[in-house]
Amino acid sequence: MSEMIGMTRRKDVVVVEDLQMVYRVSKLEVPALRGVDFTVKEGEFVAVIGPSGCGKSTLLHLIGGLLKPTSGRILIEGVSISSVSDFERTEIRRQRMGFVFQSYNLLNTLTARENIALAKRIQGNGHYEDGSAHQILRMLGLENKMDHKPWELSGGEQQRVAIARAVINRPAILLADEPTGSLDSENSRMVLNMLRELNSVYGQTIIIITHDPEAAATADRVIEMRDGKILNRVQNMFYAMEEKRS
Amino acid sequence: MFKLILSNLRQRPTRTLVSVIAVALGVALLLVSMGLSYGQLVDTVRRAQGIGGDFILQPSEASVIFALNSGTIPVRVQKVIEEVEGVEAATPILAKFLGDQFHIVFGIDPESFGRVNSTLSFVEGGRFSEPREVIIDTIYANSKKMKAQDPLQILGHEFTVSGVFREGIGARVLLPLTTLQELNGTPDKATMFFIRAKEEVALEQVYESLQERFENYKITKTAELQEIMMDSTPVFKEFVTAMVFISVTISFLIILLAMYSTITERTREIGILKSLGASKSYIVRLILNESLLICAVGVGLGFLATFVVIELLMAAFPTLPVAISLFWRVTAAAMAVTGGTLGALYPAVKAAGMDPVKALGYE
């Protein structure tokens, strides 16, 4: 489950084993994942790429505990979320995961500050006004936008608020579904830089789903999917770097 | 959570307002109808007790709603009553409901009435001494803007007001027993007798003696009159039940509709909350607390509306008795909250059970 690299011991944060997912539409069975295996280590930045309908989003939702697989296993920090109850899966999601979506998914009735605070409250940490939160907000360049409602923010700003909301509880894994899909190239670059910084400065483990080659290039490792299967591991800078270090 | 609830309610002001008004309507409906019906009942009891008797003697089949009875007991029964051990005095009363004026008048015998009652006092004028004289209470005088020596039409005959007495005794209008007997076509008859026990004798003992002597009559303790009236007033309990049911149903249906439509509109929001790790109980509490807030504001507005309606009614009909007890205020609030909570429960459970992926993909 873990790997010794020199004196550094890196945990397996996500382990996916023979994951299968079949959607049932009336009497029709539609396979979305056909036996997916991979591991994501602590502090790794992984991009999952592939054409539409290849099962990327299903994979992300399964890792995030939003869906239950038809068969196979997903371990989050050693805990199998595919076999626990709905209540426990929600608890893992609350304590260990952060989500970023293509369409930002901020609550329009709340300000940026309140959107972020809500994530903190749902996690049960009360107020978000602590030192680490300020650091993150400063890093995301949101300090002056905190009292704005989502519609008063640009797409890039909204996505940065969504990232802040996702990482405010210091989750073990940040799952991002097409985080730059609705942004122009400048804002895309800014968001990707921030994800990169979160990963390199805070050691945040990140898995992103993307069509964007630039976004994929930001990651340490790229997993390519097609027809519900992993084709190959295109790039593994993370392992390369670790190996080089060791 | 409170901030989220508040912002959600503010986001949809029309629906929030309509929901609040509907809850308020249910509360006001219950309070006004109960206030008027209980007011009438409590006022009747208070004024009957104001006569001062300890017991009321009526024919066995008579109703404690005096207006429903006619004069059937011979006045000479008074002497028989006064012979019962422990009885201080008895006075015959003929009750007549005036349909055109929607109130009751009492025919009284001044001499025996004075022996049973010791509290009749006048703010103006005095007792009647002529057959065509009446006395009226202060509320009646104020509402009709009348004073002593003014003429007053009763049963198509003209009377003169000889005095205005402090309200709280018998009926709003009292006239000579013999005159009312004559106008009613029931000479020498009374509707009931008010009986006063001697102070030194235990009431229970007098009650038993009266029951023994008048076994074919109904003897009611005036102290228990309210309870008896509630039990024996036709369809009173059914009316109360219906009012409570309507109030709960209004709250239930409106909140059900409002919350059901709100969770449909907010499907995506529920998906977001789930992706943030909100548990099912968090979502249920969110929806229930939202409905509770609507209900709480609705109850407050309902109390205010009740106050305004009652004030308007009192201004239009000053003799109208209204009694809204704390019990009914609490009941109305509890019914609104119960109806609202029940109405929100199904949408809340439905929202909590939503598939987060489908909810997130909802447009």
Side-chain angles (χ1 to χ4, degrees):
Chain A
M1 289 288 174
S2 59
E3 186 173 295
M4 285 290 290
I5 302 168
M7 293 304 288
T8 315
R9 194 182 177 87
R10 291 214 178 243
K11 279 196 302 182
D12 292 342
V13 178
V14 181
V15 176
V16 176
E17 293 174 350
D18 192 23
L19 198 64
Q20 311 235 9
M21 182 68 186
V22 178
Y23 290 110
R24 283 185 178 79
V25 185
S26 299
K27 287 179 181 172
L28 200 67
E29 292 195 341
V30 183
L33 296 179
R34 306 160 187 257
V36 172
D37 297 273
F38 69 94
T39 300
V40 177
K41 295 200 169 290
E42 187 180 23
E44 208 178 350
F45 188 165
V46 176
V48 180
I49 61 167
S52 294
C54 72
K56 308 186 296 290
S57 291
T58 299
L59 178 64
L60 195 83
H61 292 147
L62 285 165
I63 294 170
L66 294 171
L67 288 174
K68 212 172 171 180
T70 309
S71 67
R73 212 156 71 120
I74 303 165
L75 301 175
I76 303 294
E77 294 185 311
V79 179
S80 170
I81 62 160
S82 39
S83 59
V84 297
S85 68
D86 186 47
F87 178 80
E88 288 166 304
R89 215 164 46 242
T90 302
E91 184 65 23
I92 293 168
R93 191 160 64 237
R94 178 162 58 236
Q95 300 296 341
R96 311 303 301 146
M97 300 192 190
F99 279 93
V100 175
F101 301 95
Q102 178 179 350
S103 49
Y104 328 126
N105 278 344
L106 297 174
L107 297 182
N108 281 327
T109 54
L110 301 179
T111 62
R113 183 189 305 279
E114 289 162 351
N115 264 286
I116 296 167
L118 181 68
K120 203 76 174 155
R121 291 212 176 88
I122 286 175
Q123 202 220 19
N125 275 351
H127 296 287
Y128 73 98
E129 306 279 2
D130 54 38
S132 62
H134 273 299
Q135 264 185 319
I136 290 168
L137 295 175
R138 202 164 33 246
M139 191 196 89
L140 294 172
L142 290 167
E143 281 176 314
N144 300 325
K145 302 283 184 180
M146 296 310 287
D147 294 317
H148 287 62
K149 289 275 174 71
W151 69 81
E152 296 166 328
L153 301 171
S154 69
E157 287 167 338
Q158 285 190 59
Q159 194 59 299
R160 277 185 277 156
V161 173
I163 293 170
R165 182 181 64 181
V167 299
I168 202 76
N169 292 322
R170 294 303 187 91
I173 317 148
L174 175 62
L175 302 168
D177 191 356
E178 301 279 6
T180 57
S182 300
L183 302 176
D184 57 30
S185 55
E186 192 187 332
N187 275 307
S188 290
R189 212 168 299 122
M190 196 182 290
V191 164
L192 290 171
N193 285 341
M194 281 167 180
L195 290 175
R196 183 73 261 175
E197 206 172 333
L198 278 169
N199 174 253
S200 55
V201 176
Y202 297 100
Q204 177 68 58
T205 308
I206 301 173
I207 302 175
I208 67 166
I209 300 291
T210 186
H211 277 106
D212 180 3
E214 194 185 343
T218 317
D220 300 324
R221 178 156 62 113
V222 177
I223 296 173
E224 190 180 359
M225 287 186 70
R226 189 155 299 171
D227 300 329
K229 290 179 180 168
I230 291 179
L231 278 188
N232 61 335
R233 283 151 198 180
V234 175
Q235 187 185 1
N236 195 335
M237 282 175 63
F238 177 80
Y239 282 105
M241 280 167 64
E242 292 296 329
E243 277 167 19
K244 195 176 171 186
R245 261 185 235 156
S246 66
Chain B
M1 186 185 275
F2 186 71
K3 207 166 247 181
L4 184 60
I5 290 168
L6 215 58
S7 61
N8 279 332
L9 293 176
R10 275 205 305 253
Q11 183 79 2
R12 298 156 182 91
T14 309
R15 184 168 50 214
T16 303
L17 189 67
V18 169
S19 305
V20 165
I21 289 172
V23 172
L25 186 71
V27 169
L29 186 71
L30 183 64
L31 286 179
V32 171
S33 55
M34 287 299 106
L36 289 174
S37 50
Y38 268 91
Q40 191 65 52
L41 195 136
V42 168
D43 187 59
T44 304
V45 170
R46 187 178 59 85
R47 284 190 282 131
Q49 289 171 340
I51 290 176
D54 298 305
F55 307 104
I56 302 165
L57 183 139
Q58 295 172 282
S60 59
E61 297 302 317
S63 168
V64 285
I65 311 300
F66 307 138
L68 298 178
N69 305 314
S70 57
T72 52
I73 319 176
V75 170
R76 62 177 182 277
V77 172
Q78 180 191 350
K79 280 189 180 166
V80 187
I81 298 171
E82 287 179 340
E83 282 166 12
V84 173
E85 196 181 340
V87 171
E88 173 76 40
T91 186
I93 289 188
L94 179 62
K96 177 77 182 168
F97 181 71
L98 305 182
D100 57 335
Q101 296 178 34
F102 209 73
H103 71 85
I104 197 169
V105 295
F106 278 2
I108 61 165
D109 164 41
E111 185 275 322
S112 61
F113 191 85
R115 286 193 286 123
V116 171
N117 173 275
S118 57
T119 55
L120 185 69
S121 65
F122 288 87
V123 295
E124 190 187 0
R127 291 186 182 207
F128 41 74
S129 53
E130 297 294 327
R132 287 287 188 260
E133 284 184 341
V134 295
I135 55 174
I136 59 175
D137 77 357
T138 43
I139 290 182
Y140 191 86
N142 287 338
S143 69
K144 303 282 180 187
K145 299 193 174 17
M146 294 181 81
K147 55 186 188 310
Q149 303 309 315
D150 279 352
L152 175 62
Q153 285 278 331
I154 296 173
L155 294 167
H157 293 78
E158 189 163 304
F159 287 78
T160 303
V161 176
S162 67
V164 178
F165 63 94
R166 285 201 174 80
E167 71 91 25
I169 292 167
R172 303 233 176 268
V173 178
L174 304 178
L175 62 154
L177 177 65
T178 47
T179 306
L180 189 58
Q181 284 171 334
E182 185 190 320
L183 296 176
N184 196 40
T186 51
D188 299 322
K189 294 286 168 56
T191 308
M192 59 201 153
F193 284 88
F194 276 72
I195 303 162
R196 184 174 180 177
K198 287 178 179 166
E199 281 183 10
E200 64 274 21
V201 185
L203 283 180
E204 201 55 39
Q205 194 183 324
V206 182
Y207 180 67
E208 282 171 15
S209 301
L210 282 167
Q211 276 197 316
E212 197 178 312
R213 180 66 187 80
F214 295 96
E215 58 181 11
N216 294 325
Y217 286 80
K218 181 200 281 185
I219 317 278
T220 306
K221 295 173 184 168
T222 48
E224 295 170 2
L225 199 56
Q226 183 166 333
E227 205 176 315
I228 295 165
M229 271 191 168
M230 278 187 197
D231 288 340
S232 54
T233 303
V235 300
F236 188 78
K237 283 188 174 169
E238 289 80 357
F239 172 72
V240 171
T241 309
M243 279 300 149
V244 169
F245 180 75
I246 290 169
S247 174
V248 174
T249 306
I250 289 175
S251 300
F252 172 80
L253 290 177
I254 290 295
I255 297 290
L256 175 69
L257 192 67
M259 289 299 149
Y260 193 83
S261 61
T262 205
I263 65 144
T264 307
E265 258 181 39
R266 283 154 56 189
T267 299
R268 197 181 179 90
E269 179 188 311
I270 290 158
I272 296 168
L273 291 172
K274 288 200 155 199
S275 74
L276 292 176
S279 62
K280 283 184 177 177
S281 69
Y282 183 93
I283 309 274
V284 168
R285 275 186 288 129
L286 183 75
I287 307 287
L288 288 186
N289 285 341
E290 205 166 303
S291 79
L292 275 178
L293 191 60
I294 289 175
C295 289
V297 178
V299 167
L301 188 67
F303 284 170
L304 186 70
T306 304
F307 174 76
V308 171
V309 170
I310 295 295
E311 286 298 308
L312 290 174
L313 281 172
M314 297 282 273
F317 310 100
T319 58
L320 201 66
V322 182
I324 302 175
S325 65
L326 180 64
F327 170 79
W328 278 110
R329 285 175 212 272
V330 173
T331 302
M335 291 301 109
V337 170
T338 304
T341 306
L342 288 175
L345 204 57
Y346 172 66
V349 171
K350 190 175 153 69
M354 271 181 190
D355 177 342
V357 175
K358 280 185 187 163
L360 282 166
Y362 186 85
E363 294 293 343

